[in-house]
Amino acid sequence: MQSTESLFENIRNDFPILKRTVRDNKPLVYLDNASTTQKPNQVIDSIADYYQNHNANIHRAVYALAEEATEAYEATRDKIANFLNIKNRQEIIFVRGTTEAINLVAYAWGRTHLKEGDAVVTTEYEHHSNIVPWQLATRANHAKLEYIGMDDNGELILDDLDKHLATGKVKLVTFSLVSNVLGTITDAKGIIEKCRAAGVLTLIDGAQAVPHMKVDVEDLGCDFFAFSGHKMLGPTGIGVLWVKKSVLETMSPFHGGGDMIREVHKYETTWNDLPYKFEAGTPNIADVVGLGSAVDYLTKIGMDNVREHEIELTKYAIEKLSAVKGLHIYGTKDISKRGGVVSFNFADVHPHDVAQIIDEEGIAVRSGHHCAQVLMERLDVAATSRASFYIYNTRQDIDILVNSLNTVAKVFKL
Ligand code: 7TS
């Protein structure tokens, strides 16, 4: 059996983009995996193979290509079910990504279930895509949006949840399983248990979790679960919404059009079976196939190995970054509660200046508000720099980052 170390060394060979240089012939050090991950040949080839050999529209015709395309598309649904321990494939809906998944719930569930005076509860460390759809939905239905606050360690204050639940007005609690800025791993089961006891539904934004750790949707016990393919080696423009069947059956359609109907008459329409009722129009077939290959790729590595590799890198990064003069790291230092994301700032140096200086060395990190302006307000900063890791990153990548940040500290005389 291959050792974990050599497994991760060989992985880099599967990613053609990691062989290129940037700027002044510098090797690419890609540390922006929370934004999107790079793609292995296996995923790229599966998309090319789909277009070269199997392309046809799905669920419609009986000819050979249509059958092959339908099978390839539906095979990914089964792969997702296995990957996340979902028992019923009818509960898996293909969408463009986490953003569309949450908007679907806010619209198709919210329109029916939110009434005047009701509340939706989200958290202070959400991505905008788990805040704005709820602002729209609560405003449209004269409901309220409430927040679970965050402590200085970057962890949620669960007393806030208790206070909200005690009002008896809360219909849905929504939170990210892993914060995209602080890397905090949310105590999902703790939150879900309280919500279930109060008869309140829960939605998990799994965008930063599914790519990085073993996730068991059945075991979590939530009602909605969303994630994006492009953050887990898959293509852009494809993601998944899972909804518990008993809840899905109470939801009206999101988009109307082809494939989501059973019969259409002049003034009345009946809906197709689940999950097709929620997959209107020709879907992103090729990228669903690509997502299936990404799931195969991660399954082969093993999600426990992925998590172990990231724990090792994150520990190393926090240790090395803590020694850089003037650098402040946000969030918990408890690695068991943190994913492979490290946000930091130098006092008085704008993160864009940091990103620009280190870009000269071929290092890609994101600087900005990371689509989490509510969190930036809570941290009382305009922006942070953020390094985020994945399976192909190495200690050497972190050494290059740290050297370059030492240069920043010198340039700004910190
Ligand atoms: N939720 C979380 C927790 C995210 O990190 C992101 C994207 C989204 C939702 C939205 O995903 P999408 O695929 O629909 O765009 N996060 C980031 C990020 O941290 N930097 O760029 C995108």
Side-chain angles (χ1 to χ4, degrees):
M1 217 177 110
Q2 208 173 13
S3 75
T4 315
E5 207 169 306
S6 69
L7 173 74
F8 284 99
E9 266 165 32
N10 291 334
I11 275 171
R12 289 183 71 85
N13 293 326
D14 290 334
F15 293 79
I17 209 167
L18 299 179
K19 295 193 172 68
R20 66 161 289 188
T21 56
V22 289
R23 300 298 176 206
D24 198 10
N25 213 20
K26 297 280 179 359
L28 172 66
V29 177
Y30 187 76
L31 294 171
D32 194 18
N33 295 290
S35 289
T36 198
T37 58
Q38 299 304 341
K39 319 303 172 198
N41 281 323
Q42 288 84 338
V43 168
I44 299 167
D45 292 349
S46 72
I47 297 167
D49 174 66
Y50 170 77
Y51 281 125
Q52 283 162 354
N53 297 305
H54 310 288
N55 178 53
N57 213 326
I58 58 166
H59 299 149
R60 290 150 207 252
V62 293
Y63 55 84
L65 284 187
E67 219 172 82
E68 285 170 27
T70 303
E71 268 171 29
Y73 180 85
E74 292 300 333
T76 298
R77 211 184 302 271
D78 293 326
K79 289 177 189 185
I80 297 287
N82 284 334
F83 192 57
L84 298 176
N85 191 29
I86 292 166
K87 297 278 188 284
N88 186 349
R89 69 192 305 283
Q90 286 187 304
E91 300 172 332
I92 296 168
I93 301 163
F94 289 118
V95 290
R96 280 188 297 151
T98 310
T99 302
E100 187 175 69
I102 297 172
N103 277 278
L104 192 162
V105 178
Y107 186 84
W109 175 84
R111 194 177 34 168
T112 315
H113 294 280
L114 287 177
K115 303 277 183 297
E116 188 165 354
D118 286 346
V120 171
V121 175
T122 186
T123 89
E124 281 187 337
Y125 62 47
E126 296 310 302
H127 188 277
H128 292 162
S129 64
N130 204 17
I131 292 177
V132 183
W134 300 115
Q135 290 177 344
L136 296 172
T138 51
R139 204 161 291 162
N141 290 27
H142 308 286
K144 281 194 294 190
L145 182 60
E146 309 275 9
Y147 285 83
I148 301 173
M150 186 193 80
D151 66 20
D152 291 338
N153 218 19
E155 291 177 47
L156 295 179
I157 301 168
L158 293 187
D159 283 354
D160 287 355
L161 174 65
D162 295 336
K163 279 180 209 150
H164 293 312
L165 291 178
T167 64
K169 299 283 186 193
V170 179
K171 287 285 180 301
L172 177 86
V173 172
T174 179
F175 58 91
S176 49
L177 193 46
V178 176
S179 148
N180 69 319
V181 178
L182 302 170
T184 315
I185 300 173
T186 309
D187 171 15
K189 279 190 150 182
I191 293 177
I192 291 165
E193 208 171 291
K194 283 173 193 257
C195 291
R196 285 176 77 155
V200 171
L201 300 186
T202 46
L203 183 153
I204 295 184
D205 171 348
Q208 299 292 348
V210 172
H212 304 282
M213 57 189 66
K214 195 174 236 163
V215 172
D216 183 328
V217 168
E218 295 282 344
D219 183 54
L220 280 166
C222 56
D223 298 283
F224 306 93
F225 191 96
F227 63 98
S228 300
H230 69 98
K231 295 181 198 286
M232 53 182 286
L233 309 176
T236 51
I238 191 68
V240 167
L241 170 67
W242 169 84
V243 185
K244 192 183 281 177
K245 193 171 175 202
S246 56
V247 178
L248 200 50
E249 282 171 340
T250 70
M251 286 163 57
S252 46
F254 182 39
H255 294 146
D259 227 23
M260 52 80 72
I261 54 88
R262 180 171 307 286
E263 277 181 39
V264 179
H265 303 284
K266 255 187 177 167
Y267 302 106
E268 286 303 327
T269 295
T270 51
W271 314 129
N272 199 347
D273 293 336
L274 297 174
Y276 309 111
K277 176 180 166 185
F278 292 94
E279 291 183 358
T282 302
N284 189 351
I285 307 163
D287 293 320
V288 166
V289 172
L291 175 61
S293 301
V295 169
D296 288 342
Y297 191 92
L298 288 171
T299 303
K300 209 165 152 204
I301 297 171
M303 291 311 294
D304 287 336
N305 289 330
V306 171
R307 172 77 180 132
E308 202 181 304
H309 178 71
E310 287 183 27
I311 286 177
E312 203 262 323
L313 282 183
T314 310
K315 242 189 219 168
Y316 185 71
I318 289 179
E319 182 193 314
K320 293 282 169 181
L321 288 168
S322 301
V324 176
K325 226 174 161 189
L327 188 143
H328 174 74
I329 296 171
Y330 298 96
T332 178
K333 298 236 161 102
D334 179 349
I335 297 287
S336 70
K337 290 186 182 165
R338 187 194 256 273
V341 178
V342 184
S343 276
F344 55 88
N345 260 329
F346 285 105
D348 300 331
V349 182
H350 197 281
H352 285 301
D353 293 336
V354 176
Q356 223 159 21
I357 292 172
I358 69 176
D359 170 53
E360 302 284 317
E361 301 301 319
I363 304 166
V365 298
R366 186 171 172 194
S367 284
H369 55 62
H370 315 291
C371 301
Q373 285 186 321
V374 170
L375 174 60
M376 293 298 122
E377 261 175 38
R378 168 64 184 81
L379 295 174
D380 199 20
V381 293
T384 72
S385 296
R386 179 188 68 183
S388 50
F389 314 121
Y390 209 32
I391 50 174
Y392 36 69
N393 288 123
T394 61
R395 280 182 174 226
Q396 195 187 359
D397 290 338
I398 292 166
D399 291 338
I400 295 169
L401 171 70
V402 168
N403 278 344
S404 183
L405 290 172
N406 278 323
T407 308
V408 173
K410 267 192 210 125
V411 169
F412 288 93
K413 299 190 170 49
L414 295 172

